[in-house]
Amino acid sequence: MDNIAVPDLNIPRVVIIGGGFGGLQVAKHLKNKEVQIVLIDRNNYHTFQPLLYQVATAGLEADSIAFPIRKLFKGYKNFTFRNATVRKVSPEDKTIQTNIGNLTYDYLIIATGSRTNFFGLEDIQNNSMPLKTVIQALDLRHLMLQNFEKALITTDLKKRESLMNFVLVGAGPTGVEMAGALSELKRYVLPQDYPELDVRKMQVHLVEAGPRILPALNEKSSQKALDYLKNLGVNVWLGTTVMSYEDKEVKAKTPDGQVISIATQNMIWSAGVQGNIFEGINEETILRGNRLHVNQFNQVKGIKDVFAVGDVAAMISDDFPRGHPMVAPVAIQQGQLLAKNLLRQFDGQEMKPFEYHDKGSMATIGKNKAVVEVGKFRSQGLFAWFIWMFVHIMSLIGFRNKAIVFINWLWNYVNYDRGIRLIIRSFDFKLRNDRRRKEDEETVVI
Amino acid sequence: MDNIAVPDLNIPRVVIIGGGFGGLQVAKHLKNKEVQIVLIDRNNYHTFQPLLYQVATAGLEADSIAFPIRKLFKGYKNFTFRNATVRKVSPEDKTIQTNIGNLTYDYLIIATGSRTNFFGLEDIQNNSMPLKTVIQALDLRHLMLQNFEKALITTDLKKRESLMNFVLVGAGPTGVEMAGALSELKRYVLPQDYPELDVRKMQVHLVEAGPRILPALNEKSSQKALDYLKNLGVNVWLGTTVMSYEDKEVKAKTPDGQVISIATQNMIWSAGVQGNIFEGINEETILRGNRLHVNQFNQVKGIKDVFAVGDVAAMISDDFPRGHPMVAPVAIQQGQLLAKNLLRQFDGQEMKPFEYHDKGSMATIGKNKAVVEVGKFRSQGLFAWFIWMFVHIMSLIGFRNKAIVFINWLWNYVNYDRGIRLIIRSFDFKLRNDRRRKEDEETVVI
């Protein structure tokens, strides 16, 4: 295949794969320096993943949590974007292969993030809905609304229940926030939209294999969040392992060894993630969960001039024997440091090792309810909820996105509403799954 | 096929097909009266078609010009919505057939609107992009942005030009407003997004078979709009008939008999519309452009208890020998009157004949420039542009949509920007066309 046409600047070329939190930081901190930045992403936009669940539950437009990458780098003299999918890396000749051609690099930054991990459970991969991309969030919104339309017209009571039931697997922030949002839809929106349906029959189940929800938080916060969920009517199953999802039935094993079965056509899998990697990387470098083994300077072990940041990187240390948590602040901090370290290297200075500054964790569970932890500071309830909103709005890129998310939230708050309940695509479920499968089969999913 | 389950109210059942401007008005004016309203639409939302072109040109989110139908009818005691596609009507047993089952009616209102008319030109139907639905507008946005990404990486100069050129066929409001919006993208947005491309090479062609643009307006306004377009650099071809669109080339015949050829991969067809009709209607009732022949009470000729309003209805009179213009105000006025006439009929009163109150016409051609005509009042330029914006914002349904469109316009105005330039779906062109073809082949396209 031919090379991708990029400007020939005759300065070292830094190729960044992925325009997520990590990749953007690397590029931003190399602005107008003596390096050529080439950023590659499968999408032409950056996705603000923490709010995807709100797109899926009709609270926000997809466009307000995505930001065009080209616009972010307006005015950069040393920046080129290419909309492409990376297939392979060849460290021996410092080249990457993409669907639109090859590209040579002097330095390669792998910032491909993570995707859903189905742990080899094929029936779940084929039939459940993941929630890691804008397209998946929109598909989920459409599936949910279409299933309610179907529930209306069926006379089969068992089928109707399975169309209205939700099973969320994995009680990390995505599962917990999604459970809260679904419960609010059930309480405030769906009874008005579907007065013919007995919406009380809709059940939201949150299934978690571990002993508590939000394991990244302190036990007290975790307990508080559990109380909030229970008050909202969510059925929380702790210590319960999902075994299969076939014929529209989830089978799971409870801690006492019982096998339970829940009929549902809305199964959302957020039980695990794995790094997005591609061909050409030494197998020894790939650790548990498809993460790349990096040293404290984010250099991928054993591959010269190749770096990895964020979810796809595992920096093993005594404090973090399995690498850092796969969250945005790690990616942002690693991206910033890596850019500075590259510049230090060019200047003949020594690189600085990475140190993680934990910014805390938070999750919201419906209106006026959230849990927040920042260092020793802990907050729950209304005040935590305001912190959560403030932090998320301020983290969005661009004034337009901030303003539009703010208006939507204000509207939803005052009116107990979710304004975006539109079925804009009418794919049938099979097509949706075929497409997703195809995406997963591609060598890399940025 | 089974009947669709709807509540059994034991009062006359009015079935309305289509949730556009006309259908909504009929339903609204029957609120909580002694009739059962069943509204059927292929989508679960109402589309504000006049602003579709802004979705296509990355100025507005799709979600801000669509409104969930169920939400509109919240609190109606006599209203049922069904998300379905109508295939056939059987007036002899007062039944309609849909993809989800059959439904009987006492009164049937056909408010299916119109779709693109390709006048039997198959190559154009297969290769060009229409602009009548939200999905088409999103597809167009994605196609345009993807073509710019492709233009960047090709080294074939002819191919690059064809990827950057636009041909718009039909100089009604859609073609003219689209041409203005594209010229502004070319001037303000694309040079910053694609600094490597020589965006001056991008040409916008507007091809019109008739002697002037915006034929619904007065000649003076039409001339002014033409001046605006020319100042923006649009190539306007009047009296020019498109003959074919094959191998990424548009061939057209100019008034002096010359055949011109324009290389383009962005061909937008807005040269005509036709009524959305379905099987089961007497052929004599179907007039030119697939419109249903109705009398002055919007009764479909020769079919008892069946009515048609809006674009799909042709009410022939001396003033309107081909029926009324296919615009929103006609649909709205006919819908309102029809609902009142139905109630009059139930009360044993006489129905009132339809009289059209022309609300005027308007079109905007880029920033600060519009033409407006209301009766004898005519305005052009900045003031007309404010009128245009005010009328469109006030016509949108719902406070949330109004606020979000306002913020986007303010943002775009102040920043010379179009914030929504995201490629969220990455269909290839073939898939897009296959899908569209399939939709067109369906018996009815609401």
Side-chain angles (χ1 to χ4, degrees), chain A residues 44 61 63 70-71 74 82 135 149 152 193-194 196 400 407-408 417 420-421 423-424, chain B residues 44 61 63 70-71 82 135 149 152 192-194 196 400 407-408 417 420-421 423-424:
Chain A
N44 77 336
E61 290 100 346
D63 312 72
R70 292 193 177 282
K71 186 172 152 146
K74 192 170 90 175
R82 288 293 178 264
I135 292 181
E149 295 293 337
L152 266 181
D193 266 13
Y194 303 94
E196 304 161 57
R400 198 194 66 86
I407 285 197
N408 275 304
D417 195 13
I420 331 280
R421 37 193 198 274
I423 308 173
I424 290 194
Chain B
N44 77 335
E61 289 100 346
D63 312 72
R70 291 193 178 281
K71 186 173 153 146
R82 287 293 177 266
I135 292 180
E149 296 292 337
L152 265 182
Q192 295 186 326
D193 266 13
Y194 302 95
E196 304 160 58
R400 198 194 66 87
I407 286 197
N408 274 304
D417 196 12
I420 331 280
R421 39 194 198 274
I423 308 173
I424 289 192

Side-chain angles (χ1 to χ4, degrees), chain A residues 394-406:
Chain A
M394 295 316 291
S395 306
L396 280 167
I397 296 173
F399 172 77
R400 198 194 66 86
N401 287 349
K402 286 188 180 72
I404 284 175
V405 168
F406 179 73

Side-chain angles (χ1 to χ4, degrees), chain A residues 98-133:
Chain A
T98 81
N99 63 323
I100 59 168
N102 297 336
L103 188 66
T104 57
Y105 62 82
D106 295 303
Y107 300 91
L108 179 67
I109 321 290
I110 302 175
T112 45
S114 59
R115 57 177 160 149
T116 305
N117 191 348
F118 294 98
F119 304 105
L121 296 162
E122 257 186 56
D123 50 332
I124 291 174
Q125 179 163 3
N126 292 345
N127 302 313
S128 75
M129 306 290 288
L131 189 54
K132 285 288 288 178
T133 69

Side-chain angles (χ1 to χ4, degrees), chain B residues 109-220:
Chain B
I109 321 290
I110 302 174
T112 46
S114 59
R115 58 178 161 151
T116 306
N117 192 347
F118 294 98
F119 303 105
L121 297 163
E122 257 186 56
D123 50 332
I124 291 174
Q125 180 164 2
N126 292 344
N127 302 314
S128 74
M129 306 291 287
L131 189 54
K132 285 287 287 178
T133 68
V134 168
I135 292 180
Q136 288 167 355
L138 288 172
D139 276 351
L140 188 49
R141 181 181 92 191
H142 304 155
L143 172 75
M144 174 180 87
L145 293 171
Q146 277 177 334
N147 280 349
F148 267 85
E149 296 292 337
K150 284 184 188 167
L152 265 182
I153 56 169
T154 183
T155 48
D156 176 340
L157 289 185
K158 218 192 133 177
K159 188 176 165 195
R160 183 179 295 165
E161 257 179 57
S162 91
L163 285 162
M164 291 166 69
N165 281 343
F166 285 79
V167 174
L168 314 169
V169 187
T174 300
V176 167
E177 296 189 324
M178 188 85 193
L182 285 170
S183 304
E184 294 207 320
L185 273 180
K186 172 183 170 175
R187 188 171 286 194
Y188 304 121
V189 177
L190 298 174
Q192 295 186 326
D193 266 13
Y194 302 95
E196 304 160 58
L197 280 180
D198 183 358
V199 178
R200 287 167 304 180
K201 292 251 166 71
M202 165 183 170
Q203 294 291 328
V204 180
H205 299 272
L206 179 63
V207 184
E208 167 60 43
R212 61 187 180 98
I213 68 168
L214 299 174
L217 292 180
N218 177 283
E219 270 197 47
K220 227 172 136 185

Side-chain angles (χ1 to χ4, degrees), chain A residues 41 45 256 292 303 369 419:
Chain A
D41 198 296
Y45 54 86
D256 54 9
L292 302 178
I303 316 183
K369 293 185 209 77

Side-chain angles (χ1 to χ4, degrees), chain A residues 40-196:
Chain A
I40 297 183
D41 198 296
R42 187 166 78 143
N43 295 315
N44 77 336
Y45 54 86
H46 165 75
T47 304
F48 190 74
Q49 289 188 348
L51 291 178
L52 277 176
Y53 85 96
Q54 294 223 353
V55 173
T57 50
L60 288 177
E61 290 100 346
D63 312 72
S64 59
I65 64 151
F67 199 88
I69 288 173
R70 292 193 177 282
K71 186 172 152 146
L72 266 171
F73 294 99
K74 192 170 90 175
Y76 281 54
K77 291 186 181 68
N78 60 338
F79 178 85
T80 303
F81 175 72
R82 288 293 178 264
N83 193 193
T85 302
V86 175
R87 301 199 194 288
K88 193 178 169 181
V89 55
S90 310
E92 58 283 3
D93 47 7
K94 286 193 156 187
T95 301
I96 59 166
Q97 293 172 26
T98 81
N99 63 323
I100 59 168
N102 297 336
L103 188 66
T104 57
Y105 62 82
D106 295 303
Y107 300 91
L108 179 67
I109 321 290
I110 302 175
T112 45
S114 59
R115 57 177 160 149
T116 305
N117 191 348
F118 294 98
F119 304 105
L121 296 162
E122 257 186 56
D123 50 332
I124 291 174
Q125 179 163 3
N126 292 345
N127 302 313
S128 75
M129 306 290 288
L131 189 54
K132 285 288 288 178
T133 69
V134 168
I135 292 181
Q136 289 167 355
L138 288 172
D139 276 351
L140 188 48
R141 181 181 92 191
H142 304 155
L143 172 75
M144 174 178 86
L145 293 170
Q146 277 177 335
N147 280 350
F148 267 85
E149 295 293 337
K150 285 184 189 167
L152 266 181
I153 57 171
T154 184
T155 48
D156 176 338
L157 290 184
K158 218 193 135 176
K159 187 176 168 196
R160 182 179 294 164
E161 257 178 57
S162 92
L163 284 161
M164 291 166 70
N165 281 343
F166 284 79
V167 175
L168 314 169
V169 188
T174 301
V176 168
E177 295 188 326
M178 187 84 193
L182 285 170
S183 304
E184 294 207 321
L185 273 179
K186 171 182 171 177
R187 187 170 289 195
Y188 304 121
V189 177
L190 298 173
Q192 295 187 326
D193 266 13
Y194 303 94
E196 304 161 57

